[in-house]
Amino acid sequence: MKILLTLQYNGTNFIGWQKQINGRSIQGELEKSLSFLLDDNIKIYGSGRTDAKVHAIGQTAHFETNSFKINNFLKKGKLIKTSFINALNANLPEDIYITNATLVNNNFHARYDVKEKVYEYHLQIGKNPLNNNLCGKINSKLCMPLMKEASKYLVGEHDFSSFCSSKTATANHIRTIKYIKIYSIKNNEIIFEISGNGFLYNMVRIIVGSLVNVGLKKIQPIDIKNILDKKNRIFAGKTMQPEGLYLKKVIY
Amino acid sequence: MKILLTLQYNGTNFIGWQKQINGRSIQGELEKSLSFLLDDNIKIYGSGRTDAKVHAIGQTAHFETNSFKINNFLKKGKLIKTSFINALNANLPEDIYITNATLVNNNFHARYDVKEKVYEYHLQIGKNPLNNNLCGKINSKLCMPLMKEASKYLVGEHDFSSFCSSKTATANHIRTIKYIKIYSIKNNEIIFEISGNGFLYNMVRIIVGSLVNVGLKKIQPIDIKNILDKKNRIFAGKTMQPEGLYLKKVIY
């Protein structure tokens, strides 16, 4: 029996998604709570990793179990969602929250079946003590029309070698960005919403760092196209702070 | 020379506004930073205290100084705002942020001259790991039209004895509420905005706790009027958690 979870988390006090020998990981907390709840040795597979301090509004992950305890949450072969979700949330710490759970086919995989992912980057202009740990921060104002113009060069299928960490493990750097929305909300906060068929390591944070350079008028919108063409990380902007990144949605 | 500061703070890691022997207070941090910056023994007077974990978007406070160091921030007898604000913010911890500073008359007092105060209460329906420490929380849905109807009984001049802590020090419990706005924002968060000429101890949190009882249909809107008439704290709702309270604005 395979179950797909949708979950939120506040990344502030985690070393990231992936379980490691030391430190508190989201994967580790989920496996601990599920294993306890189902009296089984549960292994969980996320749609992808998130780094330390990165948040999620709609991360997804699947697990398999044959434990007889899962029967407590089944009725005529269907999952009694609220009862399972409530039981799991009651076992999880305050900074993780399950929002959905569904039975999936045995051949479903939370990572390999992803069709599209949506991220948000929250950027605070100036200091705001109320959103420490919840936003990236920058001290100067940014030109919104220039950033919007620049973002258009990134939409579509491109080789994003310039926009991924040198630590990126995958060889194929071609990805398709579906859209980039950039808008302001109250209190001088700017949201970058980026949707694509897949993202390389640090890709969203480097894209935002590069658009910020456009917003600061350090480079021009057309330079984003030039940076893409170089296919070399050193030409793009800096990797923005992890606190501002939110995995918003995973679409299958 | 008297200066009025406007400031924001995240109350999470404070024991409250007021300086105490043990623990980190907003007053204490401000006095420490100002005293260091101006090489003087600065005493600061807030518009009022806030409790532990309560936040501020627009708290105000004044201080007096005759230190020669203030001359670094004066030009032709006027305060060079940005330079003073930047110097002070550089000395303050991450969870306090000065947004304004103005010279005021010698007879001005940040507390006694208040004409109006505006508070917000942020209430999260259900769990949301992304706003832990930034919202009060409740598990059930609330009926918005009933709460709005109930709030009308509180607007105007009333004796708020039922809606203040039994620890309230002042004898006169008559206050005027100018308006109460109640609206939802994204992610199942409800904002209560309350403006008045003054507030008794825990008054906003008890008002929200009572309106929540209406929203839960435990009591009816008209009961808010009945509770007012009783002039006794035991009839009102519970004091909501401090994490949801924001001092939004102080008007002189």
Side-chain angles (χ1 to χ4, degrees):
Chain A
M1 179 151 297
K2 207 179 245 189
I3 293 176
L4 175 67
L5 301 173
T6 310
L7 62 144
Q8 308 183 322
Y9 46 85
N10 183 327
T12 307
N13 297 317
F14 288 107
I15 53 162
W17 171 267
Q18 198 183 17
K19 204 161 61 171
Q20 291 175 50
I21 295 165
N22 292 310
R24 215 173 146 254
S25 68
I26 298 120
Q27 185 191 9
E29 292 293 330
L30 283 172
E31 289 183 351
K32 195 164 64 180
S33 297
L34 281 165
S35 297
F36 175 80
L37 183 68
L38 299 174
D39 196 13
D40 195 1
N41 184 18
I42 302 288
K43 184 135 177 59
I44 190 136
Y45 299 86
S47 77
R49 300 172 191 169
T50 52
D51 277 339
K53 299 187 182 184
V54 172
H55 313 292
I57 301 168
Q59 170 68 293
T60 54
H62 81 256
F63 68 92
E64 274 189 277
T65 185
N66 293 311
S67 164
F68 71 98
K69 288 244 180 175
I70 194 70
N71 293 316
N72 296 337
F73 305 105
L74 295 174
K75 196 174 177 181
K76 294 180 186 169
K78 288 192 174 177
L79 190 67
I80 315 167
K81 279 191 192 196
T82 50
S83 117
F84 180 66
I85 292 172
N86 289 345
L88 185 51
N89 278 329
N91 269 294
L92 281 166
E94 278 292 306
D95 41 9
I96 302 181
Y97 183 56
I98 306 295
T99 57
N100 201 7
T102 42
L103 288 181
V104 285
N105 289 332
N106 279 333
N107 55 1
F108 177 89
H109 197 288
R111 182 167 162 211
Y112 303 127
D113 292 356
V114 173
K115 285 220 174 65
E116 187 182 335
K117 272 188 174 180
V118 185
Y119 283 93
E120 278 184 2
Y121 195 88
H122 293 210
L123 184 61
Q124 174 73 45
I125 311 302
K127 220 173 141 185
N128 179 348
L130 292 168
N131 62 18
N132 288 344
N133 302 321
L134 295 173
C135 277
K137 306 226 171 178
I138 191 163
N139 277 319
S140 316
K141 287 195 179 173
L142 300 175
C143 177
M144 298 288 281
L146 286 178
M147 290 198 294
K148 285 181 190 180
E149 188 188 336
S151 71
K152 289 179 187 151
Y153 294 107
L154 296 165
V155 174
E157 187 181 272
H158 301 284
D159 182 321
F160 284 96
S161 295
S162 295
F163 294 91
C164 65
S165 163
S166 55
K167 292 179 204 152
T168 304
T170 45
N172 176 4
H173 293 174
I174 294 175
R175 296 291 184 278
T176 300
I177 291 192
K178 206 174 153 187
Y179 64 79
I180 301 182
K181 294 178 193 167
I182 308 174
Y183 57 95
S184 304
I185 59 168
K186 60 169 189 173
N187 303 327
N188 292 319
E189 197 177 320
I190 297 176
I191 313 285
F192 299 78
E193 184 176 328
I194 307 187
S195 175
N197 69 345
F199 290 87
L200 301 162
Y201 189 46
N202 283 351
M203 183 166 148
V204 175
R205 290 161 60 189
I206 296 170
I207 284 176
V208 175
S210 307
L211 293 176
V212 161
N213 284 344
V214 175
L216 291 169
K217 300 182 183 173
K218 285 185 183 174
I219 59 172
Q220 297 185 328
I222 187 73
D223 289 325
I224 293 293
K225 182 182 168 356
N226 300 333
I227 295 167
L228 264 177
D229 292 344
K230 301 265 195 192
K231 297 177 191 167
N232 187 332
R233 168 71 186 93
I234 64 162
F235 295 100
K238 69 166 188 176
T239 305
M240 297 297 289
Q241 306 103 308
E243 294 90 330
L245 188 61
Y246 293 72
L247 174 53
K248 191 183 187 183
K249 210 182 197 175
V250 182
I251 300 165
Y252 292 102
Chain B
M1 179 150 301
K2 207 178 243 188
I3 294 176
L4 176 67
L5 301 173
T6 309
L7 62 144
Q8 308 183 321
Y9 46 84
N10 182 326
T12 308
N13 297 317
F14 288 107
I15 53 162
W17 171 267
Q18 198 183 18
K19 203 161 62 171
Q20 290 175 51
I21 295 165
N22 293 309
R24 215 172 147 254
S25 68
I26 298 120
Q27 185 192 9
E29 293 292 330
L30 282 172
E31 289 183 351
K32 195 164 63 181
S33 298
L34 281 165
S35 297
F36 175 79
L37 184 68
L38 300 174
D39 196 13
D40 195 2
N41 184 16
I42 302 288
K43 183 132 179 60
I44 189 135
Y45 299 86
S47 77
R49 299 172 192 169
T50 52
D51 277 339
K53 299 186 183 186
V54 172
H55 313 292
I57 302 168
Q59 169 69 293
T60 53
H62 81 255
F63 68 93
E64 273 188 278
T65 185
N66 293 312
S67 165
F68 70 99
K69 290 245 180 172
I70 193 72
N71 293 316
N72 296 336
F73 305 106
L74 294 174
K75 195 174 178 180
K76 295 182 186 168
K78 287 191 173 177
L79 189 67
I80 316 168
K81 279 190 191 196
T82 50
S83 115
F84 180 66
I85 292 172
N86 289 346
L88 185 51
N89 278 329
N91 270 294
L92 281 166
E94 279 291 306
D95 43 7
I96 303 182
Y97 183 56
I98 307 294
T99 57
N100 201 8
T102 43
L103 288 182
V104 286
N105 289 333
N106 278 334
N107 55 1
F108 176 90
H109 196 289
R111 182 167 162 212
Y112 302 128
D113 292 356
V114 173
K115 286 218 173 67
E116 187 181 336
K117 272 188 173 180
V118 185
Y119 282 93
E120 278 184 5
Y121 195 88
H122 294 211
L123 185 61
Q124 174 73 44
I125 312 301
K127 219 172 141 185
N128 179 349
L130 292 169
N131 63 17
N132 287 343
N133 302 321
L134 296 174
C135 277
K137 307 226 170 177
I138 191 164
N139 277 320
S140 315
K141 286 195 179 171
L142 301 174
C143 176
M144 297 288 281
L146 286 177
M147 291 198 293
K148 285 180 189 180
E149 187 189 334
S151 71
K152 290 179 186 150
Y153 294 107
L154 296 164
V155 175
E157 187 180 274
H158 301 286
D159 182 320
F160 284 95
S161 296
S162 295
F163 294 92
C164 64
S165 163
S166 55
K167 292 179 203 153
T168 305
T170 46
N172 176 3
H173 294 174
I174 293 174
R175 296 290 183 277
T176 300
I177 291 192
K178 208 174 151 188
Y179 65 79
I180 301 182
K181 294 178 192 167
I182 308 174
Y183 58 96
S184 303
I185 59 169
K186 59 170 189 174
N187 303 328
N188 291 320
E189 197 177 320
I190 297 176
I191 312 285
F192 300 77
E193 183 176 327
I194 307 188
S195 175
N197 69 346
F199 290 87
L200 300 162
Y201 189 47
N202 284 349
M203 183 166 148
V204 176
R205 289 161 60 189
I206 297 169
I207 284 177
V208 174
S210 306
L211 293 176
V212 161
N213 284 344
V214 175
L216 292 168
K217 299 181 184 175
K218 285 185 182 173
I219 60 172
Q220 298 185 327
I222 187 73
D223 289 325
I224 293 293
K225 181 180 168 353
N226 299 333
I227 295 167
L228 264 176
D229 292 343
K230 300 266 194 190
K231 297 176 191 167
N232 186 334
R233 167 71 186 93
I234 64 162
F235 294 101
K238 69 167 187 175
T239 306
M240 297 298 287
Q241 305 103 309
E243 293 90 331
L245 189 60
Y246 293 72
L247 173 53
K248 190 182 187 183
K249 209 180 195 178
V250 182
I251 300 165
Y252 293 101

